[in-house]
Amino acid sequence: MISAQRHGRFPVISKEYYSWEKQAAVDRKPLYARKIVWVPLAVFAVGVLTAWIAFGVLTQKYEVRAEEFDLKQVSEMESASVLFDRKGREFGKLFIQNRQPVPFDRLPPSLVKAVIAAEDNRFYDHDGVDYMGIFRAALTNYRKGRIAQGASTVTQQLARNSFELRERTYERKLVELYLSWRIEKNFSKKEIMEHYLNRVYFGSGFYGAEAASQGYFGKNAIDMSLGQCATLAGLLKSPQALSPFNNPKDSTESRNFVLGRMRELGFITRKQYDEECASPLGTVQRTNPFKVSYAIELIRQQVIKALGFERAMNGGYRIDTTLDTDLQKAADRATREVLLKVEQQPGYNHPTFEQYRAATKKIEEAINRGNMSVKMPEPKYLQGAALVVENTAGGILALTGGRDFRHSEYNRALQGTRPVGTAFTPLVFASAYESGIFPGEIVQDACIDNRYVMVGGEAGLLGEWGVEIEENEYEGPMTTRDALVKGKNAAAVRLGMQVGLDAVKKTAAAAGVTSPLRDYSNTFLGSSELSLDELVLAYTMFPNVGQRPADLYIIQTIRESNGETIFKAPRKRYRAISPAAAYETHSVLSDFMQRGVGSLGQKKFGLGPFPAAGKSGTAYGFTDTYFIGYTNAVTCGVWVGFDKPTKIYRGAFGKDLALPIWSQIMNASVQSYPPREVERPSGLQEVEICRSSGLLATPRCSAKPADPATVGRTGEGNTYKELATEKQLPKIPCDIHGGGVRTYAKEFDDVDWPRAATAIDLTKIRPVAVTSLPLVGFNDIYRSVRPGAESENDNDIPVAKAVPVNMLPTSAAASAPPAAIFGEVEIRRAEPVKSQTAPIEQPAIEAPPPAAIDFF
């Protein structure tokens, strides 16, 4: 306040005015001339210098500790190994921390600006430490008596994340400061920002901007919008709490706050701010990154087996696989669509896939949020599996282990074994052809007693187990080709008995079957349990003309980030059977697709008109259904059934459930793997034979079809051209129509004659004591009974008296007169005859106890 009083001519200036004027004059002086200010400034400077010196002395040990850290670790971080299909397309990752580092030029500029606005607006000005921010945070923490606020720069956060400095103490903060200065001296601002955005955690299991962008928005980081960049920057304060998956409302508010800071700093315009604030978050549906697919899980297991867990999950490798993602999608889609239709059929009375999904929706959502304490209940709906491999080396092109990996990780294509049913019979026929049996040889299709082949308890073959047609009937003699094409089980069993179980086992083992096969005749019909991949591997020997891959595999190479190959899958091939036997079986399986139930592929399920071969299969009781087939390029196997063997429904055949899936998958394979005819090996020739006899055809054979009903139904003639090696080739004309004479004699050299040998170990069998004379049966065709002796020399020999019999045995020839059957011999019934002499007394002999017999 200024006041003036007059004393004569001059006004009197008050003390207050003088003081103000004096101060104003002081303020106009330079700083060094302001004595009243300089003193306190000098004191403050001395205090700061003293404090700084004291700080340096007291924190010297933390500087030494900071020097111990290797700065290479800043740029070396755990990263996901990336999976690529056979065409070089990325389709998955393996990781502990879901991170995929990218160079700075693959990070959007908007993301860099958003992070600077949200976390460190003086990033380009400081030396790694924001001193004013530290002073402000220290004052706040002092007042509250705890660490309640931080002032970490991007550089400090990078140091903390690179070296796992997580404890909330002042000592940690001091080490962090020295590390930040070191980082600033050794890295450019661009490198610091690149390492930070590749390392920092963005919530929901995503480390680094690239993984977060793909996880939240389904796109690469470079393609993110301005609002999406602001969303990621807003997560850094509290990644889990602000995750758009966990809390979309707070995540939106955090995004808008970052956009506001960007506008204040001049990074964006008002219009951009308004537009982005009004837009939705735009996140994709959340999935569990650890529950992806059966194929990726198999790859994970194989990589861990090859490299060990730590290297496999953190190495950041490039893993090139044999998968074809297009074919994989087709296999998954076909399995899903066909089985949904099966569940809608009348009479289907099992839990459905949709019912299970509705009942477990909340559990699935909890698992996707990362809650691993909850488990999915056992899926009891109808399952399916498909496996597609390329024939040459055995690389897996597609793998569907079930209808949904999130519901069950049990891989039904590779794990566990199930009865494969009549899909096994091609191995029986291949074994027969390998042993020299002619494909045109005749085999009987007639009922077999259950004592010869017991399948499924008492039902056996009396109910024609596993036949793929509802109107099945026995057709009598037929060629082995027709037996396989028509799915004649009785004929297949007879052929298997002719070849022998040991030979079939040998062929199966050579084809890659490692599961044990039962030592019973029902093995010929696939009662033994095999895995789907075993059966698929075995079938590859047909398009490969006798050879097969050593194993199926899914990983081609594993490479370091610098391109160095550290793993390469071995590729080996084995000779399973002869080229002739393989091609003969292939030709029959091709015929199955034309004349057998495989023809439904083209007629009903849309299979394309290309050369293919295969065989359906149905296990006993309609519990498991199969279709295994191939082109020259790929082999595909499909299984449909329940995890616990259960009847799907009566009449559920492989041709109805598995064949539609197989047809869709094979159609999808044609574009990338065009099929062509399998080349016939040398040494096989075509010969025209009679279907009735299996011998060389004559002019009269073609005029007399063996079964007119069969010809009318299938369009078959009575003669056709069959394949044969020189050894298999028939040598005589048809003995039914052409007058040929079949001989069953076999010429032996002296050294080849069979030697007598005991069939069993008699020492382990207790002899049976004869207590009375035996009786001869009704039909004594060997004439063991004769009238009493007429000569004196024969009187001492007791014989049976012959009594006329008026009844013939019950047989197919029962109505024929005895002479027509046995010549002029009179048939008599044998009666015991009393001995003419007194019995001889013999001492009683006590039979020894039976010896133990080891049946196992």
Side-chain angles (χ1 to χ4, degrees), residues 301-438:
Q301 295 173 7
Q302 294 294 322
V303 174
I304 292 174
K305 182 179 179 180
L307 303 180
F309 183 81
E310 289 296 331
R311 291 183 66 194
M313 306 305 287
N314 300 323
Y317 301 111
R318 176 190 174 100
I319 302 174
D320 292 295
T321 73
T322 62
L323 284 177
D324 185 319
T325 52
D326 294 330
L327 200 54
Q328 179 67 57
K329 293 176 182 177
D332 293 338
R333 182 173 58 253
T335 305
R336 182 173 58 253
E337 292 177 354
V338 171
L339 296 189
L340 283 175
K341 293 180 180 178
V342 172
E343 291 176 333
Q344 297 169 2
Q345 290 186 0
Y348 184 85
N349 57 357
H350 301 283
T352 66
F353 179 78
E354 293 299 333
Q355 290 172 343
Y356 180 89
R357 287 194 63 187
T360 60
K361 182 178 180 180
K362 292 184 179 180
I363 299 177
E364 186 173 336
E365 290 175 352
I367 295 175
N368 287 339
R369 289 194 299 269
N371 184 359
M372 296 302 174
S373 62
V374 296
K375 300 294 182 182
M376 296 292 286
E378 178 187 359
K380 297 182 179 181
Y381 52 77
L382 185 66
Q383 288 287 356
L387 181 64
V388 188
V389 304
E390 54 94 10
N391 294 329
T392 304
I396 296 176
L397 300 175
L399 171 64
T400 301
R403 294 174 72 176
D404 197 318
F405 184 73
R406 295 167 298 180
H407 296 173
S408 169
E409 297 180 20
Y410 178 64
N411 192 330
R412 296 154 187 86
L414 306 178
Q415 295 175 294
T417 56
R418 305 292 291 269
V420 297
T422 46
F424 182 82
T425 55
L427 300 185
V428 177
F429 285 77
S431 181
Y433 303 152
E434 179 77 351
S435 68
I437 292 178
F438 177 45

Side-chain angles (χ1 to χ4, degrees), residues 494-564:
R494 284 187 171 89
L495 182 64
M497 289 179 174
Q498 182 178 349
V499 177
L501 187 57
D502 289 341
V504 173
K505 283 185 174 183
K506 182 179 179 181
T507 299
V513 174
T514 57
S515 296
L517 302 179
R518 290 189 175 89
D519 293 323
Y520 305 103
S521 300
N522 56 20
T523 289
F524 300 135
L525 298 179
S527 66
S528 300
E529 292 84 2
L530 277 64
S531 60
L532 182 62
D533 61 316
E534 285 182 285
L535 202 55
V536 169
L537 177 60
Y539 267 65
T540 61
M541 69 179 178
F542 302 132
N544 284 328
V545 197
Q547 295 185 357
R548 67 163 177 89
D551 294 292
L552 303 183
Y553 69 101
I554 198 168
I555 298 175
Q556 297 194 77
T557 58
I558 302 177
R559 300 178 184 177
E560 297 270 13
S561 57
N562 60 5
E564 180 184 357

Side-chain angles (χ1 to χ4, degrees), residues 750-757:
D750 289 341
V751 295
D752 295 330
W753 279 101
R755 298 290 185 262

Side-chain angles (χ1 to χ4, degrees), residues 6 26 100 275 287 305 386 423 568 680 706 722 737 796 845-846:
R6 288 190 177 271
V26 171
Q100 187 174 346
E275 289 176 350
T287 59
K305 182 179 179 180
K568 187 174 183 179
R680 188 170 75 184
E722 185 58 88
H737 308 114
D796 297 333
I845 300 176
E846 184 177 355

